[in-house]
């Protein structure tokens, strides 16, 4: 209820504010109609299940989420992963995986993990988004051209089959597909019609044409699915068993992670357009509850829809009321106009998805990132995109994140500087201690940066340049923000090794966190507690005390 309470405190339910949100909600509901059915069919479900998802998830996310203007429902980003789950486990398996994903999202929100999603690197997000767009585009060729069904196989095999079948396309189906594509795109380029939703124009025109002329050979929702029921389904539980839940754990986590990414990205876009600030943890709570309830009422996975959220804001939506009205609009359409859905050509829905795929691909952004990004980031972008297309989204995101993490650690390790300090570096500290130069047999090294496992090699290499053993080695830790277990063990090993060779080690400038870790591992007792000092001046005093007598 966070978004509703915030909207109320901001006066968004007052006079003059309710009507714009109702109008926006109706418009978004109309826009969501063809998209919801198209996404459902592309995901391997029935068209009405997309509508049920938009109704249930749309209302719950608006009421319980962390963004005032978020519109939720089925989205294009889910198509690739949901289609693979449906093909393998059936619609019932998809619904159980969705329910499990809802629980995961709810737990993520309750445990305040909403901020973690923003650490997924941009090349990974853009890479898998573009890959998904390619899958959607190719996956709709069958409906757009009226081609026979192809075997369920890897992308490259399916693509090869489709290319071989193209000469056998159905002329009437292809004509409707092309006309629908033109009608979907046209309003945005015609003055005076730019606010008219293109998908609605295409859906209405193609449905009326099919109803009037009854083109033979054109697949419709009626011929493929038998039409759409005029009411919501009864509350039902998916087939739940321990073995099935274990089997669907991977798909459920994939849905949850993608849903979290997509919904929070959508909320960020909404904040930029509306000047608001969402609560990422509450948004995940709302998304979790929505995905738990959606499969109970015949739906499947839902998340924040960027395009519909943007449409909501552009038409005046400023409170959760718009999202709730959007859901109510879809419910009214089902009750009143469901019989007409039997005449909706699948080629029209495919044309709409062609446009969705193109917008999702952000091809210009993809090519620009490929051109200007560092070589390693460009490679991660391409690898993630290719793995999304050729394997699956889970593998692509996992490998993309792992590669980006390894690249980040490599950069972090390279940024850690271990430098020997000379009399010139220490001039001011020496003068304050009444010294002209470092005492004989004293070496000083400064470590700058996090002393973690990636930086250990730099540390060992720097000390290896010392060809003769000093009498005293001073390690400056003022600029070490943290030290991990590998760093601690390496430091301990070096200290013990030097101690056996008769070299005293003095540590100076360690912050409270680092010093606690040194204490816990017992390193302060190894070097002697008097050899861990607050700063360089005290370290110089300690070196004088450690000098051999005479």
């Amino acid at each position: 209820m966070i978004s509703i309470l915030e909207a109320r405190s901001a006066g968004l339910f007052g006079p003059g504010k309710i009507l714009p949100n109702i109008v926006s909600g109706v418009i978004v509901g109309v826009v969501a109609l063809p998209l919801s059915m198209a996404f459902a069919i592309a995901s391997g479900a029935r068209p009405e299940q997309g509508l049920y998802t938009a109704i249930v998830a749309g209302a719950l996310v608006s009421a319980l989420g962390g963004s005032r203007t978020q519109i939720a429902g089925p989205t294009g980003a889910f198509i690739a992963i949901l289609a693979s789950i449906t093909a393998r486990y059936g619609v019932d398996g998809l619904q159980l995986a969705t329910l499990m994903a809802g629980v995961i999202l709810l737990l993520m929100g309750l445990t305040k993990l909403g901020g973690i999603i923003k650490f997924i690197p941009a090349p990974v997000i853009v890479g898998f988004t573009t890959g998904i767009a390619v899958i959607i585009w190719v996956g709709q060729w069958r409906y757009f051209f009226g081609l026979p069904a192809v075997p369920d196989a890897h992308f490259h095999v399916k693509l090869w089959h489709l290319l071989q079948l193209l000469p056998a396309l159905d002329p009437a189906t292809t004509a409707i597909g092309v006309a629908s594509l033109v009608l979907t795109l046209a309003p945005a380029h015609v003055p005076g019609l730019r606010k008219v939703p293109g998908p609605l124009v295409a859906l209405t025109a193609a449905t009326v044409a099919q109803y009037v002329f009854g083109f033979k050979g054109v697949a419709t929702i009626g011929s493929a699915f038998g039409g759409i029921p005029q009411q919501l389904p009864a509350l039902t539980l998916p087939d739940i068993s321990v073995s099935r839940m274990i089997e669907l754990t991977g798909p459920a986590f994939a849905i949850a992670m993608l849903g979290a990414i997509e919904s929070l990205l959508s909320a960020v876009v909404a904040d930029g357009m509306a000047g608001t600030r969402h609560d990422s943890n509450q948004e995940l709570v709302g998304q979790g509850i929505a995905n738990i309830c959606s499969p109970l009422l015949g739906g499947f996975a839902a998340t924040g829809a960027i395009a519909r959220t943007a449409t909501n804001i552009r038409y005046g939506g400023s409170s959760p009321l718009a999202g709730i009205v959007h859901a109510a609009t879809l419910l009214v359409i089902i009750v009143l106009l469901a019989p007409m859905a039997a005449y909706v050509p699948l080629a029209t829905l495919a044309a709409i998805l062609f446009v969705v795929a193109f917008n999702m691909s952000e091809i210009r952004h993809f090519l620009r990132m490929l051109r200007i990004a560092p070589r390693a980031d460009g490679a991660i972008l391409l690898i993630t995109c290719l793995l999304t297309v050729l394997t699956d989204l889970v593998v692509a995101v996992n490998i993309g994140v792992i590669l980006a993490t390894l690249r980040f650690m490599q950069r972090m390790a390279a940024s850690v500087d271990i430098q020997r300090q000379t009399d010139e570096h220490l001039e001011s500290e020496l003068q304050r201690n009444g010294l002209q130069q470092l005492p004989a047999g004293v070496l000083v090294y400064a470590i700058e940066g996090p002393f973690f496992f990636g930086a250990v090699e730099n540390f060992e290499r720097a000390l290896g340049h010392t060809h003769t053993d000093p009498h005293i080695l001073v390690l400056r830790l003022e600029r070490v923000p943290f030290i991990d277990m590998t760093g601690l063990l390496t430091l301990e090993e070096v200290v013990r090794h030097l101690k056996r060779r008769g070299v005293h080690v003095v540590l100076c400038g360690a912050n409270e966190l680092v010093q606690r870790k040194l204490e816990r591992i017992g390193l302060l007792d190894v070097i002697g507690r008097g050899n861990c000092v607050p700063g360089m001046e005290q370290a110089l005093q300690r070196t004088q005390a450690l000098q051999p007598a005479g």
Side-chain angles (χ1 to χ4, degrees):
M1 303 293 285
I2 297 295
S3 57
I4 289 181
L5 295 175
E6 286 188 351
R8 183 180 179 183
S9 64
L12 297 177
F13 294 136
K17 299 290 184 180
I18 292 179
L19 184 59
N21 280 283
I22 293 176
V23 171
S24 178
V26 171
I27 292 172
V28 176
V30 170
V31 170
L33 175 67
L35 293 175
S36 299
M37 292 191 293
F39 293 148
I41 294 170
S43 300
R46 292 179 57 86
E48 66 267 22
Q49 291 182 287
L51 297 175
Y52 300 156
T53 304
I55 292 169
V56 177
L60 289 174
V61 168
S62 292
L64 304 174
S67 171
R68 297 180 194 171
T69 54
Q70 180 86 283
I71 301 295
T75 67
F78 269 144
I79 287 176
I81 190 167
L82 299 190
S84 65
I85 295 171
T86 306
R88 185 171 180 183
Y89 303 103
V91 173
D92 195 66
L94 171 61
Q95 292 179 318
L96 179 56
T98 298
L99 193 153
M100 292 168 63
V103 174
I104 295 168
L105 284 166
L106 180 60
L107 292 175
M108 288 173 67
L110 294 175
T111 52
K112 312 296 183 185
L113 293 179
I116 291 178
I117 304 300
K118 65 185 177 185
F119 294 113
I120 296 180
V124 176
I125 293 175
V126 174
F128 80 66
T129 302
T130 304
I132 290 169
V134 173
I135 293 172
I136 294 172
W137 178 57
V138 174
Q140 293 304 302
W141 287 10
R142 174 193 167 193
Y143 300 115
F144 189 88
F145 297 110
L147 303 176
V150 296
D152 185 34
H154 289 296
F155 175 84
H156 63 285
V157 177
K158 191 179 294 185
L159 176 61
W160 178 243
H161 280 296
L162 287 168
L163 289 172
Q164 289 180 311
L165 289 170
L166 275 179
L169 60 81
D170 180 68
T173 300
T174 304
I176 287 179
V178 172
S180 299
L181 186 60
V182 171
L183 290 173
T184 301
L185 296 171
H189 303 282
V190 178
L193 295 179
R194 287 175 183 165
K195 289 193 173 184
V196 178
L200 178 64
V201 175
L203 180 74
T204 303
T207 303
V208 170
Q210 181 63 25
Y211 176 76
V212 173
F213 299 107
F215 300 109
K216 292 184 179 180
V218 175
T220 64
I221 286 179
S223 65
F225 301 99
I228 291 178
Q230 285 187 265
Q231 73 277 335
L232 284 176
L235 185 69
T236 55
L237 275 173
D239 179 23
I240 298 176
S241 66
V242 174
S243 60
R244 196 153 173 79
M245 289 176 66
I246 293 172
E247 192 177 22
L248 289 167
T249 298
F253 269 98
I255 293 173
M257 291 307 298
L258 183 56
I261 294 169
E262 185 80 1
S263 63
L264 295 181
L265 282 176
S266 179
V268 169
V269 171
D271 286 347
M273 293 181 67
T276 56
R277 185 168 183 173
H278 75 280
D279 182 329
S280 58
N281 294 313
Q282 185 62 37
E283 181 63 23
L284 292 184
V285 168
Q287 295 287 344
I289 294 172
N291 279 282
I292 290 171
C293 296
S294 175
L296 301 181
L297 286 166
F300 52 87
T303 186
I306 296 176
R308 274 161 278 169
T309 298
T311 301
N312 178 38
I313 296 169
R314 279 199 298 268
Y315 282 94
S318 59
S319 77
L321 177 61
I324 295 171
V325 170
H326 136 267
T329 301
L330 287 171
L331 181 59
V332 171
I333 290 173
I334 285 181
V335 172
L336 299 181
L337 301 177
M340 281 300 295
Y343 298 95
V344 175
L346 299 185
T348 299
L349 299 180
I352 292 169
L353 285 181
F354 276 8
V355 177
V356 170
F358 179 78
N359 292 334
M360 269 186 67
S361 72
E362 295 186 308
I363 190 65
R364 292 178 184 171
H365 183 46
F366 180 91
L367 294 175
R368 182 174 181 271
M369 182 177 287
L370 197 60
R371 188 176 68 253
I372 67 173
R375 191 170 299 172
D377 290 333
I380 292 169
L381 174 70
L382 279 176
I383 290 170
T384 305
C385 180
L386 289 173
L387 286 175
T388 300
V389 173
L390 299 175
T391 58
D392 64 61
L393 183 64
V394 180
V395 172
V397 172
N398 285 343
I399 292 180
V401 170
I402 289 169
L403 290 175
T405 303
L406 292 174
R407 173 62 177 158
F408 173 75
M409 288 190 294
Q410 182 187 42
R411 290 173 177 167
M412 286 289 291
S415 69
V416 177
D417 188 26
I418 295 101
Q419 189 178 54
R420 180 177 173 179
Q421 297 203 310
T422 62
D423 295 340
E424 288 77 15
H425 293 109
L426 300 168
E427 184 178 356
S428 59
E429 288 94 340
L430 290 169
Q431 287 179 354
R432 283 196 289 271
N433 280 272
L435 299 172
Q436 296 298 317
Q437 59 185 16
L438 282 170
V442 176
L443 283 182
V444 178
Y445 278 89
I447 304 175
E448 296 189 9
F451 194 6
F452 72 116
F453 62 91
V456 165
E457 184 182 353
N458 295 0
F459 177 66
E460 292 175 334
R461 186 169 58 247
L463 291 186
H465 291 162
T466 306
H467 300 296
T468 57
D469 283 349
H471 179 59
I472 301 168
L473 176 67
V474 178
L475 293 177
R476 301 189 67 173
L477 305 178
E478 292 103 322
R479 297 188 178 181
V480 176
F482 70 86
I483 182 169
D484 74 351
M485 194 63 202
T486 305
L488 286 167
L489 293 174
T490 301
L491 186 58
E492 181 185 37
E493 183 182 349
V494 167
V495 167
R496 291 184 184 277
H497 181 63
L498 291 173
K499 188 175 181 181
R500 286 195 296 268
R501 286 156 48 186
V503 179
H504 296 282
V505 177
V506 176
L507 304 179
C508 73
N511 64 38
E512 186 178 347
L513 175 63
V514 171
Q515 195 160 335
R516 275 205 311 270
K517 291 186 176 182
L518 296 174
E519 171 80 41
R520 190 177 303 162
I521 201 174
L523 193 56
L524 298 186
D525 294 323
V526 175
I527 66 170
R529 292 186 173 271
N531 289 341
C532 184
V533 295
M536 190 61 208
E537 291 181 35
Q538 292 88 341
L540 289 172
Q541 294 168 12
R542 186 61 184 163
T543 63
Q544 291 175 297
L546 292 171
Q547 289 291 342

